[in-house]
Amino acid sequence: MNEPLLILRSVLYVPADNERALAKAASLDCDAVIFDLEDAVAPAAKETAREALRVRFKQGGSSEQSSAIRVNGIGTAWFTEDLLAARSVVPDAIVVPKVSSVEDLRLVEDALSETDAPASIKIWAMIETVRGVSAIAEIAGHAASADNRLAAMIVGTNDLFKEAGISGDDARALIHPWLMQIVLAAKANGIAILDGVYNDFRDLGGYGAECDMSARMGFDGKTLIHPSQIIHANSAFGPDPAMLEEAQQIADAFALPENADKGVISLAGKMVERLHLDQALELLDRAKAIEMRRSGK
């Protein structure tokens, strides 16, 4: 049985120790929420944040959103308790920071298996180290392994800039080759790929331009730091109405009896191949999944 298509156009980070933000999250129109135990929570507040998450998940959230919990990194003093707390509330995914090798994924998967965690809990791996970028083909390729939990990867651009020593207003342009390498690895292995955050949430013009470029690069969505960023992400990474109309025309044309065995047909003065049909059906499936998310079905 195929799993539902993962829709992650807009993925909002919410500090796990912020009660107001936790309460508001379910009412927002983002596709997913990452409840953050890592960077957004001070060391002294880690246990308070874990307890706040237990209460929040007990109360329930939005059936229209995917829920994920970002734990502190492997090897930190908080990792084990974070992972146990996350496993206990059964989110849709656990976000693992600074994944630099397949061994990191296996360590988390083994820990979840030891606690009999349900297979529904997936892993979203953050790619934010130079080692992670260097090993991206192997990390993404883990999705083909038996009983793996890898469902998505997230680019952590801020940490990547810092570790690689890249700075300046054109820092993002300088790492475009790396970003495309990560996107390519994700697409080759059928997992979702999310772009990093845009730090100045007041600069909606700059953020919108980055969103649009990210969508053109092949990212499935973007991680966000403020609710005001949701609407543009949903638009930028959602199906274009004109492309949807064309996709439906292609699907309808190939569905005609006279085209059933044809590898290529003529449509509106253009030659259309079956590979275009596959692309059209994928786009229509994505649009349907988005509509189902909106309706809560």
Side-chain angles (χ1 to χ4, degrees):
M1 182 175 173
N2 292 331
E3 294 184 2
L5 187 61
L6 192 57
I7 301 298
L8 296 173
R9 299 167 300 169
S10 50
V11 180
L12 179 69
Y13 285 108
V14 172
D17 62 343
N18 187 324
E19 293 185 10
R20 182 179 177 184
L22 290 178
K24 183 179 179 181
S27 67
L28 299 174
D29 193 32
C30 51
D31 290 333
V33 174
I34 296 176
F35 299 101
D36 193 12
L37 291 169
E38 194 207 17
D39 289 345
V41 179
K46 300 293 187 185
E47 180 51 43
T48 300
R50 293 187 202 110
E51 185 55 35
L53 278 186
R54 293 185 186 102
V55 172
R56 186 269 173 198
F57 275 82
K58 186 176 181 179
Q59 293 172 341
S62 171
S63 62
E64 300 175 10
Q65 294 171 337
S66 295
S67 62
I69 296 174
R70 179 162 72 167
V71 299
N72 281 271
I74 296 168
T76 66
W78 309 285
F79 171 71
T80 299
E81 290 300 319
D82 283 357
L83 192 63
L84 289 172
R87 182 262 174 267
S88 70
V89 300
V90 192
D92 294 309
I94 293 174
V95 179
V96 183
K98 296 178 173 59
V99 171
S100 297
S101 67
V102 171
E103 286 68 31
D104 291 341
L105 298 175
R106 289 181 180 139
L107 186 151
V108 177
E109 288 171 344
D110 289 346
L112 290 173
S113 295
E114 288 170 5
T115 61
D116 294 320
S120 62
I121 301 179
K122 303 300 182 183
I123 291 175
W124 295 356
M126 293 204 68
I127 308 301
E128 49 188 345
T129 67
V130 291
R131 285 185 58 219
V133 175
S134 297
I136 194 61
E138 292 80 10
I139 292 171
H142 183 65
S145 303
D147 300 322
N148 86 90
R149 294 175 182 264
L150 182 60
M153 297 191 301
I154 303 170
V155 180
T157 42
N158 286 333
D159 281 275
L160 194 53
F161 290 146
K162 180 180 178 181
E163 184 171 315
I166 296 172
S167 61
D169 293 339
D170 61 345
R172 183 176 170 90
L174 294 175
I175 67 165
H176 265 205
W178 299 358
L179 296 178
M180 291 307 303
Q181 185 179 353
I182 296 168
V183 170
L184 183 64
K187 300 295 182 181
N189 291 280
I191 55 180
I193 179 64
L194 304 178
D195 197 3
V197 300
Y198 189 86
N199 295 316
D200 187 355
F201 64 84
R202 290 173 290 267
D203 178 16
L204 292 180
Y207 162 73
E210 185 168 292
C211 252
D212 293 341
M213 175 59 76
S214 175
R216 290 171 59 197
M217 292 170 69
F219 282 97
D220 296 304
K222 195 163 180 64
T223 46
L224 317 174
I225 60 171
H226 195 273
S228 64
Q229 297 176 321
I230 294 172
I231 187 169
H232 196 105
N234 285 345
S235 174
F237 296 99
D240 177 84
M243 293 179 65
L244 269 181
E245 182 178 357
E246 182 181 33
Q248 190 62 62
Q249 291 173 352
I250 292 173
D252 291 343
F254 272 103
L256 295 173
E258 60 268 29
N259 294 330
D261 298 322
K262 292 182 179 179
V264 59
I265 62 174
S266 176
L267 181 64
K270 297 179 181 179
M271 300 304 293
V272 180
E273 303 177 44
R274 285 205 169 264
L275 68 89
H276 298 119
L277 173 62
D278 293 339
Q279 293 171 339
L281 293 176
E282 182 178 340
L283 185 62
L284 292 170
D285 284 344
R286 180 174 172 79
K288 183 178 179 180
I290 291 171
E291 185 56 39
M292 290 178 68
R293 192 198 73 76
R294 286 183 186 139
S295 62
K297 294 180 181 179

Short mmCIF file of all heavy atoms in Angstrom, two decimals, residues 107-157:
data_model
loop_
_atom_site.label_atom_id
_atom_site.label_comp_id
_atom_site.label_asym_id
_atom_site.label_seq_id
_atom_site.Cartn_x
_atom_site.Cartn_y
_atom_site.Cartn_z
N LEU A 107 22.03 5.12 13.48
CA LEU A 107 22.03 5.25 14.93
C LEU A 107 20.64 5.64 15.43
O LEU A 107 20.14 5.06 16.41
CB LEU A 107 23.07 6.29 15.36
CG LEU A 107 23.31 6.48 16.85
CD1 LEU A 107 24.74 6.95 17.10
CD2 LEU A 107 22.34 7.49 17.48
N VAL A 108 20.02 6.61 14.79
CA VAL A 108 18.69 7.05 15.20
C VAL A 108 17.66 5.95 14.94
O VAL A 108 16.79 5.68 15.78
CB VAL A 108 18.29 8.35 14.47
CG1 VAL A 108 16.88 8.76 14.85
CG2 VAL A 108 19.29 9.47 14.80
N GLU A 109 17.76 5.30 13.79
CA GLU A 109 16.82 4.21 13.47
C GLU A 109 16.95 3.07 14.47
O GLU A 109 15.93 2.50 14.91
CB GLU A 109 17.07 3.72 12.04
CG GLU A 109 16.61 4.71 10.99
CD GLU A 109 17.03 4.32 9.58
OE1 GLU A 109 17.92 3.46 9.42
OE2 GLU A 109 16.45 4.88 8.63
N ASP A 110 18.17 2.73 14.85
CA ASP A 110 18.37 1.65 15.82
C ASP A 110 17.78 2.04 17.18
O ASP A 110 17.14 1.20 17.85
CB ASP A 110 19.86 1.34 15.99
CG ASP A 110 20.45 0.64 14.77
OD1 ASP A 110 19.66 0.16 13.93
OD2 ASP A 110 21.69 0.58 14.67
N ALA A 111 17.97 3.29 17.57
CA ALA A 111 17.42 3.75 18.85
C ALA A 111 15.89 3.70 18.84
O ALA A 111 15.26 3.32 19.83
CB ALA A 111 17.91 5.16 19.14
N LEU A 112 15.29 4.07 17.72
CA LEU A 112 13.83 4.02 17.63
C LEU A 112 13.34 2.57 17.63
O LEU A 112 12.32 2.25 18.26
CB LEU A 112 13.36 4.73 16.35
CG LEU A 112 13.53 6.26 16.36
CD1 LEU A 112 13.21 6.84 14.99
CD2 LEU A 112 12.63 6.89 17.41
N SER A 113 14.04 1.70 16.96
CA SER A 113 13.66 0.28 16.94
C SER A 113 13.73 -0.33 18.33
O SER A 113 12.89 -1.15 18.71
CB SER A 113 14.56 -0.50 15.98
OG SER A 113 14.37 -0.07 14.65
N GLU A 114 14.74 0.06 19.11
CA GLU A 114 14.91 -0.47 20.45
C GLU A 114 13.76 -0.08 21.37
O GLU A 114 13.51 -0.76 22.37
CB GLU A 114 16.24 -0.01 21.03
CG GLU A 114 17.45 -0.68 20.39
CD GLU A 114 18.76 -0.05 20.80
OE1 GLU A 114 18.73 0.86 21.68
OE2 GLU A 114 19.81 -0.45 20.28
N THR A 115 13.07 1.00 21.03
CA THR A 115 11.92 1.43 21.83
C THR A 115 10.60 1.04 21.18
O THR A 115 9.54 1.54 21.57
CB THR A 115 11.96 2.95 22.05
OG1 THR A 115 11.89 3.62 20.78
CG2 THR A 115 13.22 3.38 22.78
N ASP A 116 10.69 0.17 20.17
CA ASP A 116 9.50 -0.30 19.44
C ASP A 116 8.68 0.86 18.87
O ASP A 116 7.45 0.84 18.88
CB ASP A 116 8.60 -1.15 20.35
CG ASP A 116 9.27 -2.45 20.76
OD1 ASP A 116 9.93 -3.07 19.91
OD2 ASP A 116 9.14 -2.84 21.94
N ALA A 117 9.38 1.86 18.38
CA ALA A 117 8.70 3.00 17.77
C ALA A 117 7.96 2.56 16.51
O ALA A 117 8.49 1.79 15.71
CB ALA A 117 9.71 4.09 17.42
N PRO A 118 6.74 3.04 16.31
CA PRO A 118 5.99 2.65 15.11
C PRO A 118 6.69 3.11 13.83
O PRO A 118 7.40 4.13 13.84
CB PRO A 118 4.64 3.35 15.29
CG PRO A 118 4.90 4.45 16.26
CD PRO A 118 5.98 3.97 17.17
N ALA A 119 6.48 2.37 12.77
CA ALA A 119 7.12 2.70 11.48
C ALA A 119 6.65 4.03 10.93
O ALA A 119 7.29 4.61 10.04
CB ALA A 119 6.85 1.59 10.47
N SER A 120 5.54 4.54 11.47
CA SER A 120 5.00 5.81 10.99
C SER A 120 5.89 6.99 11.35
O SER A 120 5.79 8.07 10.74
CB SER A 120 3.61 6.05 11.57
OG SER A 120 3.65 6.13 12.99
N ILE A 121 6.77 6.83 12.34
CA ILE A 121 7.68 7.92 12.71
C ILE A 121 8.86 7.92 11.73
O ILE A 121 9.67 7.00 11.71
CB ILE A 121 8.21 7.76 14.14
CG1 ILE A 121 7.06 7.75 15.15
CG2 ILE A 121 9.18 8.91 14.47
CD1 ILE A 121 7.52 7.57 16.60
N LYS A 122 8.93 8.95 10.91
CA LYS A 122 9.97 9.06 9.90
C LYS A 122 11.11 9.94 10.39
O LYS A 122 11.03 10.59 11.43
CB LYS A 122 9.39 9.63 8.60
CG LYS A 122 8.23 8.82 8.03
CD LYS A 122 8.64 7.39 7.72
CE LYS A 122 7.50 6.60 7.11
NZ LYS A 122 7.87 5.18 6.88
N ILE A 123 12.17 9.99 9.61
CA ILE A 123 13.31 10.86 9.89
C ILE A 123 13.42 11.92 8.80
O ILE A 123 13.35 11.58 7.61
CB ILE A 123 14.62 10.06 9.96
CG1 ILE A 123 14.64 9.16 11.21
CG2 ILE A 123 15.83 10.99 9.99
CD1 ILE A 123 15.85 8.25 11.28
N TRP A 124 13.55 13.16 9.24
CA TRP A 124 13.89 14.26 8.32
C TRP A 124 15.31 14.67 8.68
O TRP A 124 15.57 15.13 9.80
CB TRP A 124 12.94 15.44 8.48
CG TRP A 124 11.51 15.14 8.11
CD1 TRP A 124 11.02 13.97 7.58
CD2 TRP A 124 10.38 16.01 8.24
NE1 TRP A 124 9.67 14.05 7.38
CE2 TRP A 124 9.24 15.30 7.77
CE3 TRP A 124 10.22 17.31 8.70
CZ2 TRP A 124 7.96 15.87 7.76
CZ3 TRP A 124 8.95 17.88 8.70
CH2 TRP A 124 7.84 17.16 8.22
N ALA A 125 16.24 14.46 7.77
CA ALA A 125 17.65 14.69 8.03
C ALA A 125 18.05 16.10 7.64
O ALA A 125 17.80 16.54 6.51
CB ALA A 125 18.49 13.67 7.26
N MET A 126 18.70 16.81 8.56
CA MET A 126 19.20 18.14 8.24
C MET A 126 20.61 18.05 7.66
O MET A 126 21.51 17.45 8.25
CB MET A 126 19.20 19.02 9.49
CG MET A 126 17.80 19.33 10.00
SD MET A 126 17.71 20.84 10.98
CE MET A 126 18.03 22.11 9.73
N ILE A 127 20.77 18.62 6.49
CA ILE A 127 22.07 18.66 5.81
C ILE A 127 22.63 20.05 6.01
O ILE A 127 22.22 21.01 5.35
CB ILE A 127 21.93 18.32 4.31
CG1 ILE A 127 21.16 17.01 4.12
CG2 ILE A 127 23.30 18.27 3.65
CD1 ILE A 127 21.79 15.80 4.78
N GLU A 128 23.56 20.18 6.96
CA GLU A 128 24.06 21.50 7.33
C GLU A 128 25.54 21.48 7.72
O GLU A 128 26.03 22.39 8.39
CB GLU A 128 23.22 22.07 8.48
CG GLU A 128 23.01 21.12 9.64
CD GLU A 128 22.02 21.64 10.67
OE1 GLU A 128 21.69 22.85 10.64
OE2 GLU A 128 21.57 20.84 11.51
N THR A 129 26.23 20.42 7.30
CA THR A 129 27.67 20.34 7.51
C THR A 129 28.35 20.06 6.17
O THR A 129 27.73 19.52 5.24
CB THR A 129 28.04 19.20 8.49
OG1 THR A 129 27.73 17.93 7.88
CG2 THR A 129 27.27 19.32 9.80
N VAL A 130 29.62 20.41 6.08
CA VAL A 130 30.34 20.14 4.83
C VAL A 130 30.48 18.64 4.61
O VAL A 130 30.45 18.17 3.46
CB VAL A 130 31.71 20.83 4.83
CG1 VAL A 130 31.56 22.33 4.76
CG2 VAL A 130 32.55 20.44 6.05
N ARG A 131 30.57 17.87 5.68
CA ARG A 131 30.62 16.42 5.54
C ARG A 131 29.29 15.88 5.01
O ARG A 131 29.26 14.95 4.20
CB ARG A 131 30.94 15.74 6.89
CG ARG A 131 32.39 15.85 7.32
CD ARG A 131 32.64 15.07 8.59
NE ARG A 131 32.29 13.66 8.41
CZ ARG A 131 31.69 12.91 9.33
NH1 ARG A 131 31.33 13.44 10.49
NH2 ARG A 131 31.43 11.65 9.08
N GLY A 132 28.20 16.47 5.47
CA GLY A 132 26.89 16.04 4.99
C GLY A 132 26.71 16.29 3.51
O GLY A 132 26.20 15.45 2.78
N VAL A 133 27.16 17.47 3.05
CA VAL A 133 27.07 17.78 1.62
C VAL A 133 27.97 16.82 0.83
O VAL A 133 27.58 16.31 -0.23
CB VAL A 133 27.46 19.24 1.34
CG1 VAL A 133 27.50 19.51 -0.15
CG2 VAL A 133 26.49 20.19 2.03
N SER A 134 29.16 16.56 1.35
CA SER A 134 30.10 15.69 0.65
C SER A 134 29.58 14.26 0.53
O SER A 134 29.88 13.55 -0.44
CB SER A 134 31.45 15.67 1.39
OG SER A 134 32.04 16.95 1.41
N ALA A 135 28.77 13.84 1.51
CA ALA A 135 28.26 12.47 1.53
C ALA A 135 26.80 12.39 1.11
O ALA A 135 26.13 11.39 1.38
CB ALA A 135 28.43 11.88 2.93
N ILE A 136 26.31 13.43 0.41
CA ILE A 136 24.87 13.52 0.17
C ILE A 136 24.32 12.36 -0.65
O ILE A 136 23.19 11.90 -0.41
CB ILE A 136 24.51 14.88 -0.50
CG1 ILE A 136 23.00 15.12 -0.44
CG2 ILE A 136 25.05 14.96 -1.91
CD1 ILE A 136 22.45 15.19 0.96
N ALA A 137 25.07 11.83 -1.59
CA ALA A 137 24.58 10.71 -2.39
C ALA A 137 24.34 9.48 -1.52
O ALA A 137 23.32 8.80 -1.66
CB ALA A 137 25.57 10.38 -3.51
N GLU A 138 25.26 9.22 -0.60
CA GLU A 138 25.11 8.06 0.29
C GLU A 138 23.97 8.28 1.29
O GLU A 138 23.20 7.35 1.58
CB GLU A 138 26.41 7.79 1.04
CG GLU A 138 27.56 7.31 0.16
CD GLU A 138 28.25 8.44 -0.59
OE1 GLU A 138 27.97 9.62 -0.29
OE2 GLU A 138 29.06 8.14 -1.48
N ILE A 139 23.88 9.50 1.83
CA ILE A 139 22.82 9.79 2.81
C ILE A 139 21.44 9.63 2.16
O ILE A 139 20.56 8.95 2.68
CB ILE A 139 23.00 11.21 3.38
CG1 ILE A 139 24.26 11.26 4.25
CG2 ILE A 139 21.77 11.61 4.20
CD1 ILE A 139 24.65 12.66 4.69
N ALA A 140 21.24 10.27 1.01
CA ALA A 140 19.95 10.17 0.32
C ALA A 140 19.69 8.74 -0.14
O ALA A 140 18.55 8.27 -0.12
CB ALA A 140 19.91 11.13 -0.86
N GLY A 141 20.75 8.04 -0.54
CA GLY A 141 20.60 6.66 -1.00
C GLY A 141 20.14 5.71 0.08
O GLY A 141 19.65 4.61 -0.22
N HIS A 142 20.27 6.12 1.33
CA HIS A 142 19.80 5.28 2.44
C HIS A 142 18.29 5.05 2.35
O HIS A 142 17.78 4.07 2.90
CB HIS A 142 20.14 5.95 3.77
CG HIS A 142 19.76 5.15 4.98
ND1 HIS A 142 20.33 3.93 5.28
CD2 HIS A 142 18.83 5.38 5.95
CE1 HIS A 142 19.79 3.46 6.40
NE2 HIS A 142 18.88 4.32 6.82
N ALA A 143 17.59 5.93 1.63
CA ALA A 143 16.14 5.77 1.49
C ALA A 143 15.77 4.48 0.77
O ALA A 143 14.62 4.02 0.86
CB ALA A 143 15.56 6.96 0.73
N ALA A 144 16.72 3.86 0.08
CA ALA A 144 16.46 2.60 -0.62
C ALA A 144 16.70 1.39 0.28
O ALA A 144 16.40 0.26 -0.12
CB ALA A 144 17.34 2.50 -1.86
N SER A 145 17.22 1.60 1.47
CA SER A 145 17.52 0.50 2.38
C SER A 145 16.24 -0.07 3.00
O SER A 145 15.26 0.66 3.20
CB SER A 145 18.45 0.96 3.51
OG SER A 145 19.64 1.50 2.99
N ALA A 146 16.29 -1.34 3.31
CA ALA A 146 15.13 -1.99 3.93
C ALA A 146 14.87 -1.38 5.30
O ALA A 146 15.80 -1.12 6.07
CB ALA A 146 15.39 -3.49 4.05
N ASP A 147 13.60 -1.15 5.60
CA ASP A 147 13.15 -0.65 6.91
C ASP A 147 13.75 0.71 7.29
O ASP A 147 13.84 1.04 8.47
CB ASP A 147 13.48 -1.67 8.01
CG ASP A 147 12.80 -3.01 7.77
OD1 ASP A 147 11.65 -2.98 7.30
OD2 ASP A 147 13.42 -4.05 8.03
N ASN A 148 14.18 1.50 6.30
CA ASN A 148 14.70 2.82 6.62
C ASN A 148 13.54 3.76 6.95
O ASN A 148 12.39 3.51 6.58
CB ASN A 148 15.53 3.36 5.46
CG ASN A 148 14.67 4.06 4.43
OD1 ASN A 148 14.42 5.27 4.51
ND2 ASN A 148 14.16 3.29 3.47
N ARG A 149 13.85 4.87 7.61
CA ARG A 149 12.83 5.84 7.99
C ARG A 149 13.01 7.19 7.31
O ARG A 149 12.26 8.13 7.58
CB ARG A 149 12.84 6.06 9.52
CG ARG A 149 12.43 4.83 10.33
CD ARG A 149 12.58 5.10 11.81
NE ARG A 149 12.25 3.95 12.63
CZ ARG A 149 11.08 3.71 13.21
NH1 ARG A 149 10.10 4.60 13.06
NH2 ARG A 149 10.86 2.65 13.95
N LEU A 150 13.99 7.32 6.43
CA LEU A 150 14.31 8.61 5.82
C LEU A 150 13.22 9.02 4.83
O LEU A 150 12.99 8.36 3.83
CB LEU A 150 15.65 8.53 5.11
CG LEU A 150 16.15 9.83 4.47
CD1 LEU A 150 16.33 10.94 5.51
CD2 LEU A 150 17.47 9.58 3.71
N ALA A 151 12.55 10.14 5.11
CA ALA A 151 11.48 10.61 4.24
C ALA A 151 11.75 11.99 3.66
O ALA A 151 11.13 12.37 2.67
CB ALA A 151 10.15 10.66 5.02
N ALA A 152 12.66 12.74 4.27
CA ALA A 152 12.91 14.10 3.80
C ALA A 152 14.30 14.56 4.25
O ALA A 152 14.86 14.02 5.21
CB ALA A 152 11.85 15.07 4.33
N MET A 153 14.82 15.54 3.54
CA MET A 153 16.06 16.21 3.94
C MET A 153 15.80 17.72 3.97
O MET A 153 15.00 18.23 3.19
CB MET A 153 17.20 15.89 2.97
CG MET A 153 17.57 14.42 2.93
SD MET A 153 19.12 14.06 2.03
CE MET A 153 18.73 14.70 0.39
N ILE A 154 16.46 18.38 4.90
CA ILE A 154 16.33 19.83 5.07
C ILE A 154 17.71 20.45 4.99
O ILE A 154 18.63 20.04 5.71
CB ILE A 154 15.70 20.17 6.44
CG1 ILE A 154 14.34 19.49 6.61
CG2 ILE A 154 15.57 21.68 6.59
CD1 ILE A 154 13.77 19.59 8.01
N VAL A 155 17.86 21.44 4.14
CA VAL A 155 19.14 22.15 4.07
C VAL A 155 19.18 23.18 5.20
O VAL A 155 18.28 24.02 5.32
CB VAL A 155 19.31 22.85 2.72
CG1 VAL A 155 20.65 23.58 2.69
CG2 VAL A 155 19.24 21.85 1.58
N GLY A 156 20.22 23.11 6.02
CA GLY A 156 20.43 24.09 7.07
C GLY A 156 21.45 25.11 6.60
O GLY A 156 22.65 24.99 6.88
N THR A 157 21.00 26.10 5.87
CA THR A 157 21.93 27.04 5.21
C THR A 157 22.74 27.85 6.21
O THR A 157 23.93 28.10 5.98
CB THR A 157 21.16 27.97 4.27
OG1 THR A 157 19.94 28.41 4.89
CG2 THR A 157 20.79 27.26 2.97
#
